[in-house]
Structures are given as structure tokens and as C-alpha cells.
Amino acid sequence: MIKTLTKHGNSYAMVIDKPILELLQATPETPFEIISDGRSLVLTPVRNAKEDKKFEDAVAMVHKRFGRAMKKLAE
């Protein structure tokens, strides 16, 4: 997807389409961390510790239940 900047007052803005926000489970109120290496930007929705723990627990459960199967699929 290629996007262009839009003039917004004295600044420029980039619109994030609704399907992308839904994919990221973000709303217009979600804060984003912005990281740059000087050539590119990475936008990451900021999650609270409770949401991070819930996600990590889910990943651990999937790994525990399906880890062997996923390893075989990767071979």
C-alpha cells in the first residue's frame, strides 16, 4: 500500500485506513510509538501491561499445544 501525506494545518498527516486500524485493534485514541532509523518509520500501537500479558499467555498456550505440529510444518 502506498500512501501520501496530507496537509493538516502547519503540519502533514497520513491517514490510516479503517481496515488497518481494525487489524491492529487500534482506535483513533490509541497511542502509537514511532521508531525511525533515519530512512523509515515503524508505528506500533502502545498496549498496556495487561494486554501484553494476555497476548504472551495466548502465545505460550498455542506453543504448548501446537509447538510440535508447527515445527513439523516448518520442516
Side-chain angles (χ1 to χ4, degrees), residues 44-64:
T44 306
V46 175
R47 307 282 183 216
N48 64 33
K50 184 178 176 182
E51 288 177 359
D52 284 344
K53 174 77 169 120
K54 186 176 173 182
F55 177 77
E56 290 170 9
D57 290 346
V59 169
M61 185 274 303
V62 168
H63 181 67
K64 183 177 178 181

Side-chain angles (χ1 to χ4, degrees), residues 3-38:
K3 304 287 284 182
T4 59
L5 296 175
T6 303
K7 184 80 168 150
H8 185 75
N10 289 332
S11 301
Y12 290 92
M14 185 172 299
V15 176
I16 302 173
D17 299 328
K18 187 174 180 180
I20 302 295
L21 289 174
E22 289 172 352
L23 178 69
L24 297 173
Q25 297 179 347
T27 67
E29 292 79 30
T30 302
F32 281 80
E33 177 182 20
I34 303 172
I35 300 171
S36 175
D37 64 2

